[in-house]
Amino acid sequence: MKQKSGKSVLTSKIETEIDLLQRHVAMLKAIMDNEPIGIIRLSEMLKYPQHQVRYSLRILEQEGLIEPSPDGAMTTVKIQDFLDHLKSILETMSNTVNELRESIE
């Protein structure tokens, strides 16, 4: 069964989630490299609409990775632990994807 866009129901959710993670990580990296930084500048730099920037900032703040300041978003002390965890998760995911790919070849 395929959705109207031609994407498979089996894979569309993971594709959407990966795209979202990619945006959040791009936002986090931009904040790390330019902190403090505001919504408008992030939107211009990363070419995301302001409503998507706000959403990503809200998620990153809920995770405790950034905090607001009068001059814009700034990273917190939790950032390095998160990046180490993310690298580990991505490595595990990569291995799983490779195993899955090999299983269908």
Side-chain angles (χ1 to χ4, degrees):
M1 175 190 229
K2 294 203 174 203
Q3 295 176 336
K4 291 179 186 176
S5 66
K7 291 185 178 182
S8 169
V9 172
L10 295 173
T11 59
S12 65
K13 181 145 178 90
I14 194 166
E15 289 174 299
T16 300
E17 292 299 322
I18 293 288
D19 288 346
L20 195 53
L21 177 61
Q22 195 170 22
R23 186 177 86 212
H24 294 334
V25 170
M27 203 82 51
L28 191 55
K29 177 140 178 45
I31 295 166
M32 290 169 57
D33 293 345
N34 299 283
E35 62 185 314
I37 186 168
I39 292 169
I40 294 170
R41 184 146 176 249
L42 278 168
S43 177
E44 291 169 350
M45 280 178 57
L46 299 175
K47 308 290 188 238
Y48 288 117
Q50 289 183 24
H51 72 277
Q52 289 182 346
V53 171
R54 280 189 200 90
Y55 177 75
S56 289
L57 291 176
R58 188 169 39 249
I59 296 299
L60 295 172
E61 186 176 0
Q62 287 173 355
E63 288 288 317
L65 302 174
I66 65 166
E67 58 190 11
S69 79
D71 297 319
M74 297 183 63
T75 57
T76 68
V77 295
K78 293 182 177 184
I79 196 80
Q80 194 55 54
D81 286 344
F82 169 76
L83 292 175
D84 292 342
H85 175 71
L86 179 60
K87 287 175 192 173
S88 174
I89 293 293
L90 291 173
E91 181 66 26
T92 300
M93 289 172 67
S94 178
N95 291 338
T96 302
V97 166
N98 287 333
E99 289 171 9
L100 184 58
R101 183 183 303 115
E102 288 171 9
S103 76
I104 61 174
E105 289 181 348

